[in-house]
Amino acid sequence: MSAPQRRYGPVDERVRRAAVDRVRQLSPAGMSRTAAAKVVAADIGRHFNTILLWVSADDGPPTGRSVPRLEAAVARLRRELASSQQLNQDLSDALHDSSGDRPQS
């Protein structure tokens, strides 16, 4: 069995960038990403899946959404919040102590 023959040649990076940008412009305007890719693909003579792949590649790798990662992020954010709350309390205490609003012990 022979390998399938490719119908498309190399694509100029400017064309690829313009296609990705155009899909992004059309998507928020009430058009799905797939529909936008189909419009762009027809304009430049490529398959819409190719355009979708370009957009996905431009988005970068997906962010991890595993439970352990989320739990670690929540724990880190809770520590940061506690630290910020303590700092706010310390600053408030120092402000009141220096202005004489609160009697010193």
Side-chain angles (χ1 to χ4, degrees):
M1 182 178 204
S2 65
Q5 185 165 349
R6 292 182 173 254
R7 297 184 307 173
Y8 305 123
V11 176
D12 185 88
E13 188 57 36
R14 290 174 297 176
V15 172
R16 183 185 308 249
R17 179 81 252 150
V20 169
D21 290 344
R22 184 67 180 138
V23 168
R24 291 210 168 103
Q25 289 170 356
L26 292 172
S27 293
M31 188 178 283
S32 72
R33 188 178 266 193
T34 301
K38 286 181 180 181
V39 169
V40 172
D43 289 345
I44 65 171
R46 299 288 189 213
H47 193 276
F48 76 94
N49 280 336
T50 301
I51 308 302
L52 287 173
L53 289 172
W54 293 348
V55 174
S56 293
D58 192 61
D59 287 344
T63 57
R65 293 192 174 116
S66 67
V67 172
R69 285 186 188 184
L70 289 175
E71 289 173 344
V74 168
R76 179 183 53 79
L77 291 170
R78 283 188 176 145
R79 287 190 305 272
E80 287 180 18
L81 177 61
S83 175
S84 295
Q85 288 172 328
Q86 184 60 51
L87 179 60
N88 282 338
Q89 185 62 49
D90 293 345
L91 291 172
S92 176
D93 291 346
L95 177 66
H96 290 295
D97 288 344
S98 67
S99 65
D101 290 346
R102 188 185 314 179
Q104 295 181 350
S105 1

